[in-house]
Amino acid sequence: MQNVDEDTITQIVLARHAEATDPRLKQIMTSVVQHLHAFARDVQLTEEEWFKGIQFLTDVGHITDDKRQEFILLSDTLGLSMLVTALNNRKPMGCTESTVFGPFFVENAPQYQNGDDVANGAKGEPCFVTGRITGLGGEPVPNARIEVWQADSDGFYDVQYEGATHNHGRGMLRSLADGSFHFKSVTAESYPIPHDGPVGRMLNALGRHPWRPAHLHFMIDAPGYERLITHVFRSGDQYLDSDAVFGVRSSLVADWRRHETGRAPDGTQIDTPYSTLDFTFVLNRASATVESRAA
Ligand code: BEZ
Ligand code: FE
Protein backbone atom coordinates (compact mmCIF):
# COMPACT_ATOMS: atom_id res chain seq x y z
CA MET A 1 0.00 0.00 0.00
CA GLN A 2 1.22 3.51 -0.82
CA ASN A 3 1.95 5.82 2.06
CA VAL A 4 0.80 9.31 0.99
CA ASP A 5 2.77 11.94 2.82
CA GLU A 6 4.28 15.31 2.05
CA ASP A 7 7.35 13.72 0.47
CA THR A 8 5.60 11.14 -1.71
CA ILE A 9 2.38 12.89 -2.79
CA THR A 10 3.76 14.58 -5.90
CA GLN A 11 5.08 11.37 -7.44
CA ILE A 12 1.91 9.49 -6.46
CA VAL A 13 -0.30 12.07 -8.23
CA LEU A 14 1.92 12.04 -11.32
CA ALA A 15 1.81 8.25 -11.46
CA ARG A 16 -1.99 8.46 -11.82
CA HIS A 17 -1.42 10.24 -15.16
CA ALA A 18 0.26 7.13 -16.55
CA GLU A 19 -2.75 6.13 -18.62
CA ALA A 20 -3.41 9.59 -20.10
CA THR A 21 -3.77 9.12 -23.86
CA ASP A 22 -3.11 12.73 -24.94
CA PRO A 23 0.65 13.26 -24.58
CA ARG A 24 0.43 17.07 -24.61
CA LEU A 25 -2.27 17.08 -21.92
CA LYS A 26 -0.13 14.70 -19.87
CA GLN A 27 2.91 16.98 -20.24
CA ILE A 28 0.94 20.09 -19.27
CA MET A 29 -0.81 18.51 -16.28
CA THR A 30 2.42 16.94 -15.03
CA SER A 31 4.05 20.36 -15.03
CA VAL A 32 1.00 22.02 -13.44
CA VAL A 33 1.01 19.48 -10.58
CA GLN A 34 4.77 19.76 -10.07
CA HIS A 35 4.68 23.57 -9.97
CA LEU A 36 1.59 23.74 -7.74
CA HIS A 37 3.10 21.34 -5.24
CA ALA A 38 6.45 23.16 -5.36
CA PHE A 39 4.63 26.44 -4.72
CA ALA A 40 2.79 25.06 -1.68
CA ARG A 41 6.03 23.69 -0.26
CA ASP A 42 7.92 26.88 -1.05
CA VAL A 43 5.57 29.17 0.88
CA GLN A 44 4.51 26.44 3.38
CA LEU A 45 0.89 27.22 2.46
CA THR A 46 -1.47 27.19 5.43
CA GLU A 47 -4.94 25.67 5.21
CA GLU A 48 -6.48 29.08 5.83
CA GLU A 49 -4.47 30.62 2.97
CA TRP A 50 -5.38 27.75 0.66
CA PHE A 51 -9.07 28.25 1.47
CA LYS A 52 -8.75 32.00 0.79
CA GLY A 53 -7.25 31.13 -2.59
CA ILE A 54 -10.19 28.83 -3.37
CA GLN A 55 -12.59 31.59 -2.30
CA PHE A 56 -10.77 34.08 -4.56
CA LEU A 57 -11.03 31.77 -7.59
CA THR A 58 -14.69 31.16 -6.77
CA ASP A 59 -15.27 34.93 -6.82
CA VAL A 60 -13.45 35.20 -10.15
CA GLY A 61 -15.81 32.57 -11.54
CA HIS A 62 -18.94 34.18 -10.10
CA ILE A 63 -18.31 37.60 -11.68
CA THR A 64 -17.43 36.08 -15.06
CA ASP A 65 -20.12 36.05 -17.76
CA ASP A 66 -20.27 36.66 -21.51
CA LYS A 67 -19.46 40.37 -20.99
CA ARG A 68 -17.01 40.23 -18.08
CA GLN A 69 -14.08 37.80 -18.29
CA GLU A 70 -12.38 38.00 -14.90
CA PHE A 71 -10.15 34.96 -15.61
CA ILE A 72 -8.58 36.82 -18.54
CA LEU A 73 -8.07 39.87 -16.33
CA LEU A 74 -6.40 37.59 -13.77
CA SER A 75 -4.13 36.08 -16.42
CA ASP A 76 -3.36 39.57 -17.77
CA THR A 77 -2.52 41.10 -14.40
CA LEU A 78 -0.30 38.14 -13.45
CA GLY A 79 1.68 38.67 -16.66
CA LEU A 80 0.66 35.23 -17.96
CA SER A 81 -1.18 36.56 -21.03
CA MET A 82 1.82 38.64 -22.08
CA LEU A 83 4.20 35.73 -21.49
CA VAL A 84 2.08 33.41 -23.65
CA THR A 85 1.87 36.14 -26.33
CA ALA A 86 5.66 36.58 -26.29
CA LEU A 87 6.36 32.81 -26.39
CA ASN A 88 4.08 32.35 -29.38
CA ASN A 89 5.01 35.40 -31.42
CA ARG A 90 8.78 35.37 -31.78
CA LYS A 91 9.61 37.28 -34.95
CA PRO A 92 12.67 38.39 -36.90
CA MET A 93 14.11 41.77 -35.92
CA GLY A 94 12.30 44.57 -37.70
CA CYS A 95 8.84 43.01 -37.53
CA THR A 96 6.24 44.79 -35.45
CA GLU A 97 5.98 43.11 -32.07
CA SER A 98 2.78 41.57 -30.74
CA THR A 99 1.08 42.33 -27.48
CA VAL A 100 -1.96 41.20 -25.51
CA PHE A 101 -5.34 40.90 -27.23
CA GLY A 102 -7.41 42.15 -24.29
CA PRO A 103 -11.08 41.41 -23.66
CA PHE A 104 -12.68 44.23 -25.71
CA PHE A 105 -12.40 43.04 -29.31
CA VAL A 106 -15.78 42.50 -31.01
CA GLU A 107 -16.34 40.43 -34.14
CA ASN A 108 -18.12 42.02 -37.12
CA ALA A 109 -17.26 45.62 -36.30
CA PRO A 110 -18.44 48.14 -38.91
CA GLN A 111 -16.53 48.26 -42.18
CA TYR A 112 -15.00 51.61 -43.11
CA GLN A 113 -13.29 53.21 -46.08
CA ASN A 114 -9.99 55.01 -45.70
CA GLY A 115 -10.64 58.50 -44.38
CA ASP A 116 -13.77 57.50 -42.45
CA ASP A 117 -14.36 58.30 -38.78
CA VAL A 118 -14.19 55.06 -36.79
CA ALA A 119 -15.01 56.91 -33.56
CA ASN A 120 -18.60 56.94 -34.80
CA GLY A 121 -19.68 59.12 -31.89
CA ALA A 122 -17.16 57.94 -29.26
CA LYS A 123 -16.17 60.79 -26.92
CA GLY A 124 -12.79 62.45 -27.30
CA GLU A 125 -10.52 64.87 -29.08
CA PRO A 126 -10.18 64.13 -32.80
CA CYS A 127 -7.22 62.01 -33.84
CA PHE A 128 -6.06 61.42 -37.43
CA VAL A 129 -4.26 58.13 -37.88
CA THR A 130 -2.10 57.33 -40.88
CA GLY A 131 0.02 54.27 -41.44
CA ARG A 132 1.45 51.66 -43.74
CA ILE A 133 1.46 47.89 -43.79
CA THR A 134 4.66 46.41 -45.17
CA GLY A 135 6.61 43.17 -45.21
CA LEU A 136 10.05 42.84 -43.70
CA GLY A 137 11.69 43.83 -46.99
CA GLY A 138 9.67 47.06 -47.05
CA GLU A 139 7.27 45.76 -49.69
CA PRO A 140 3.81 47.31 -49.37
CA VAL A 141 1.01 44.97 -48.31
CA PRO A 142 -2.16 46.04 -50.10
CA ASN A 143 -5.68 45.01 -49.11
CA ALA A 144 -4.64 43.95 -45.60
CA ARG A 145 -7.57 43.60 -43.25
CA ILE A 146 -7.07 46.12 -40.42
CA GLU A 147 -9.23 45.87 -37.31
CA VAL A 148 -8.88 48.79 -34.92
CA TRP A 149 -10.50 49.29 -31.50
CA GLN A 150 -10.03 51.73 -28.66
CA ALA A 151 -11.47 53.26 -25.50
CA ASP A 152 -13.04 56.71 -25.51
CA SER A 153 -11.72 59.72 -23.59
CA ASP A 154 -13.53 58.52 -20.43
CA GLY A 155 -11.52 55.29 -20.63
CA PHE A 156 -14.38 53.01 -21.64
CA TYR A 157 -14.83 50.72 -24.62
CA ASP A 158 -18.27 50.81 -26.23
CA VAL A 159 -19.06 47.33 -24.88
CA GLN A 160 -18.61 48.56 -21.31
CA TYR A 161 -21.62 50.84 -21.59
CA GLU A 162 -24.98 49.45 -20.51
CA GLY A 163 -27.05 48.64 -23.61
CA ALA A 164 -24.04 49.19 -25.85
CA THR A 165 -24.42 49.19 -29.63
CA HIS A 166 -20.81 47.93 -29.91
CA ASN A 167 -20.01 50.30 -32.71
CA HIS A 168 -18.10 53.21 -31.23
CA GLY A 169 -14.35 53.44 -31.57
CA ARG A 170 -13.96 50.25 -33.53
CA GLY A 171 -14.00 49.19 -37.14
CA MET A 172 -12.40 47.36 -40.03
CA LEU A 173 -10.72 48.87 -43.06
CA ARG A 174 -8.28 47.73 -45.72
CA SER A 175 -4.88 48.99 -46.76
CA LEU A 176 -4.65 50.70 -50.16
CA ALA A 177 -2.54 49.57 -53.14
CA ASP A 178 0.59 51.18 -51.67
CA GLY A 179 0.00 49.54 -48.26
CA SER A 180 -1.12 52.79 -46.68
CA PHE A 181 -4.26 53.44 -44.65
CA HIS A 182 -5.77 56.41 -42.87
CA PHE A 183 -8.75 57.03 -40.65
CA LYS A 184 -10.11 59.49 -38.14
CA SER A 185 -10.90 58.59 -34.55
CA VAL A 186 -10.53 60.07 -31.08
CA THR A 187 -7.33 60.46 -29.11
CA ALA A 188 -6.82 57.45 -26.85
CA GLU A 189 -6.34 58.13 -23.13
CA SER A 190 -4.99 55.96 -20.33
CA TYR A 191 -7.70 53.97 -18.55
CA PRO A 192 -8.06 51.52 -15.67
CA ILE A 193 -8.93 47.91 -16.45
CA PRO A 194 -12.18 46.79 -14.74
CA HIS A 195 -11.19 46.71 -11.06
CA ASP A 196 -14.50 46.46 -9.19
CA GLY A 197 -14.13 42.68 -8.77
CA PRO A 198 -11.74 40.16 -7.22
CA VAL A 199 -8.86 41.06 -9.56
CA GLY A 200 -9.20 44.72 -8.54
CA ARG A 201 -9.12 43.63 -4.88
CA MET A 202 -6.01 41.58 -5.58
CA LEU A 203 -4.28 44.55 -7.25
CA ASN A 204 -5.21 46.78 -4.33
CA ALA A 205 -3.93 44.27 -1.76
CA LEU A 206 -0.65 44.09 -3.69
CA GLY A 207 -0.29 47.88 -3.79
CA ARG A 208 -0.77 47.87 -7.57
CA HIS A 209 -2.84 50.24 -9.71
CA PRO A 210 -5.21 49.07 -12.49
CA TRP A 211 -4.15 51.58 -15.18
CA ARG A 212 -3.11 50.95 -18.77
CA PRO A 213 -1.23 53.56 -20.79
CA ALA A 214 -3.16 55.12 -23.70
CA HIS A 215 -3.17 52.85 -26.74
CA LEU A 216 -4.92 51.88 -29.95
CA HIS A 217 -5.52 48.17 -30.65
CA PHE A 218 -4.78 46.70 -34.08
CA MET A 219 -5.31 43.24 -35.56
CA ILE A 220 -3.90 42.93 -39.07
CA ASP A 221 -4.37 40.01 -41.48
CA ALA A 222 -2.99 39.65 -44.98
CA PRO A 223 -2.53 36.54 -47.14
CA GLY A 224 1.04 35.22 -46.92
CA TYR A 225 1.73 36.97 -43.61
CA GLU A 226 1.27 36.08 -39.96
CA ARG A 227 -1.62 37.70 -38.17
CA LEU A 228 -0.43 40.64 -36.09
CA ILE A 229 -2.25 41.50 -32.86
CA THR A 230 -0.75 44.56 -31.25
CA HIS A 231 -1.23 48.07 -29.84
CA VAL A 232 0.33 51.44 -30.54
CA PHE A 233 1.05 53.25 -27.28
CA ARG A 234 1.19 56.99 -26.78
CA SER A 235 4.64 58.29 -25.85
CA GLY A 236 4.83 60.33 -22.65
CA ASP A 237 2.01 58.42 -20.96
CA GLN A 238 2.60 58.16 -17.23
CA TYR A 239 1.71 54.45 -17.15
CA LEU A 240 4.11 53.20 -19.85
CA ASP A 241 6.40 51.72 -17.20
CA SER A 242 3.66 50.30 -15.00
CA ASP A 243 1.00 48.94 -17.39
CA ALA A 244 -1.36 46.81 -15.25
CA VAL A 245 -1.18 44.01 -17.85
CA PHE A 246 2.53 44.27 -18.82
CA GLY A 247 1.71 44.84 -22.51
CA VAL A 248 4.15 47.63 -23.34
CA ARG A 249 7.02 46.99 -25.74
CA SER A 250 9.21 49.98 -26.41
CA SER A 251 9.02 49.48 -30.19
CA LEU A 252 5.24 50.03 -29.99
CA VAL A 253 5.44 53.49 -28.41
CA ALA A 254 4.83 56.32 -30.88
CA ASP A 255 4.47 60.09 -30.87
CA TRP A 256 0.90 61.29 -31.03
CA ARG A 257 1.44 64.87 -32.11
CA ARG A 258 -0.98 67.40 -30.67
CA HIS A 259 -2.11 70.29 -32.85
CA GLU A 260 -4.04 73.43 -32.12
CA THR A 261 -7.23 74.29 -33.98
CA GLY A 262 -6.91 74.74 -37.70
CA ARG A 263 -6.95 72.82 -40.93
CA ALA A 264 -6.91 69.10 -40.18
CA PRO A 265 -5.22 66.45 -42.35
CA ASP A 266 -8.57 65.63 -43.96
CA GLY A 267 -8.87 69.24 -45.15
CA THR A 268 -11.62 70.20 -42.73
CA GLN A 269 -11.40 73.17 -40.37
CA ILE A 270 -11.30 71.96 -36.74
CA ASP A 271 -12.14 74.27 -33.86
CA THR A 272 -10.75 71.99 -31.13
CA PRO A 273 -7.19 70.74 -30.65
CA TYR A 274 -6.53 67.41 -32.33
CA SER A 275 -3.75 64.85 -32.61
CA THR A 276 -2.06 62.92 -35.39
CA LEU A 277 -0.41 59.52 -35.28
CA ASP A 278 1.62 57.78 -37.96
CA PHE A 279 2.79 54.19 -37.61
CA THR A 280 4.21 51.55 -39.93
CA PHE A 281 3.33 47.92 -39.22
CA VAL A 282 5.84 45.37 -40.48
CA LEU A 283 4.35 41.89 -40.90
CA ASN A 284 6.20 38.61 -40.62
CA ARG A 285 5.93 36.15 -43.51
CA ALA A 286 3.64 33.24 -42.69
CA SER A 287 5.19 29.83 -42.31
CA ALA A 288 3.46 27.06 -44.27
CA THR A 289 1.49 25.95 -41.21
CA VAL A 290 -0.12 29.30 -40.46
CA GLU A 291 -0.51 30.59 -44.03
CA SER A 292 -3.97 29.12 -44.48
CA ARG A 293 -5.25 31.19 -41.54
CA ALA A 294 -4.65 34.59 -43.20
CA ALA A 295 -7.71 36.49 -44.43
C1 BEZ B 1 -7.21 46.24 -23.22
O1 BEZ B 1 -6.23 46.82 -23.59
O2 BEZ B 1 -8.24 46.44 -23.82
C2 BEZ B 1 -7.13 45.34 -22.03
C3 BEZ B 1 -6.14 44.40 -21.94
C4 BEZ B 1 -6.08 43.57 -20.83
C5 BEZ B 1 -7.01 43.70 -19.82
C6 BEZ B 1 -8.00 44.67 -19.91
C7 BEZ B 1 -8.05 45.51 -21.02
FE1 FE C 1 -7.20 48.50 -24.54
Side-chain angles (χ1 to χ4, degrees):
M1 200 179 92
Q2 286 173 332
N3 180 34
V4 181
D5 65 19
E6 66 176 275
D7 296 322
T8 59
I9 178 118
T10 306
Q11 281 318 313
I12 291 171
V13 173
L14 294 182
R16 297 273 173 95
H17 296 174
E19 307 296 309
T21 50
D22 180 337
R24 179 64 176 159
L25 177 68
K26 185 172 175 179
Q27 181 190 15
I28 288 172
M29 290 312 297
T30 297
S31 183
V32 165
V33 169
Q34 283 170 332
H35 283 87
L36 279 176
H37 288 208
F39 145 73
R41 289 190 179 97
D42 183 30
V43 301
Q44 290 293 299
L45 195 66
T46 68
E47 288 164 293
E48 195 186 342
E49 289 163 343
W50 170 79
F51 187 73
K52 262 193 177 171
I54 297 283
Q55 190 57 54
F56 172 75
L57 290 175
T58 304
D59 292 346
V60 169
H62 280 161
I63 202 173
T64 295
D65 60 20
D66 57 345
K67 290 212 176 71
R68 171 78 176 252
Q69 231 306 351
E70 197 79 357
F71 283 104
I72 292 184
L73 287 183
L74 180 59
S75 165
D76 293 342
T77 51
L78 294 179
L80 183 59
S81 305
M82 191 56 191
L83 174 59
V84 173
T85 296
L87 290 173
N88 288 278
N89 291 277
R90 297 187 185 111
K91 300 171 204 274
M93 274 271 267
C95 287
T96 302
E97 295 182 287
S98 304
T99 188
V100 287
F101 193 42
F104 297 125
F105 174 75
V106 170
E107 300 278 357
N108 303 317
Q111 295 188 17
Y112 289 108
Q113 300 300 314
N114 279 274
D116 283 350
D117 182 2
V118 311
N120 189 25
K123 267 193 258 178
E125 227 172 66
C127 177
F128 294 86
V129 181
T130 55
R132 259 165 64 79
I133 316 288
T134 77
L136 197 47
E139 73 278 13
V141 178
N143 203 32
R145 182 187 165 96
I146 304 166
E147 297 266 6
V148 58
W149 66 106
Q150 69 165 106
D152 66 14
S153 59
D154 286 340
F156 293 111
Y157 287 79
D158 53 2
V159 290
Q160 292 179 281
Y161 287 101
E162 207 58 49
T165 58
H166 298 194
N167 284 334
H168 304 293
R170 66 177 72 247
M172 189 280 274
L173 69 160
R174 294 208 174 248
S175 57
L176 299 169
D178 62 355
S180 71
F181 66 88
H182 59 284
F183 61 86
K184 184 181 175 192
S185 190
V186 289
T187 305
E189 304 289 348
S190 44
Y191 66 83
I193 62 168
H195 58 287
D196 56 343
V199 168
R201 291 201 302 276
M202 177 191 80
L203 293 179
N204 194 36
L206 291 171
R208 289 175 54 182
H209 69 69
W211 288 82
R212 297 214 65 204
H215 58 272
L216 264 184
H217 291 257
F218 286 90
M219 177 161 72
I220 301 171
D221 284 291
Y225 295 90
E226 282 180 9
R227 167 175 282 181
L228 173 64
I229 295 175
T230 196
H231 309 352
V232 180
F233 294 93
R234 193 165 144 197
S235 66
D237 191 289
Q238 63 174 314
Y239 298 111
L240 282 173
D241 282 325
S242 64
D243 181 4
V245 303
F246 307 96
V248 179
R249 303 187 109 165
S250 51
S251 66
L252 301 177
V253 179
D255 277 337
W256 303 44
R257 296 184 48 215
R258 192 146 189 274
H259 307 265
E260 292 312 318
T261 58
R263 190 163 296 278
D266 66 355
T268 57
Q269 187 69 24
I270 300 206
D271 54 9
T272 57
Y274 64 94
S275 62
T276 52
L277 166 69
D278 185 66
F279 199 84
T280 296
F281 296 91
V282 181
L283 304 185
N284 194 19
R285 278 253 166 234
S287 60
T289 46
V290 292
E291 194 143 1
S292 58
R293 203 181 54 185

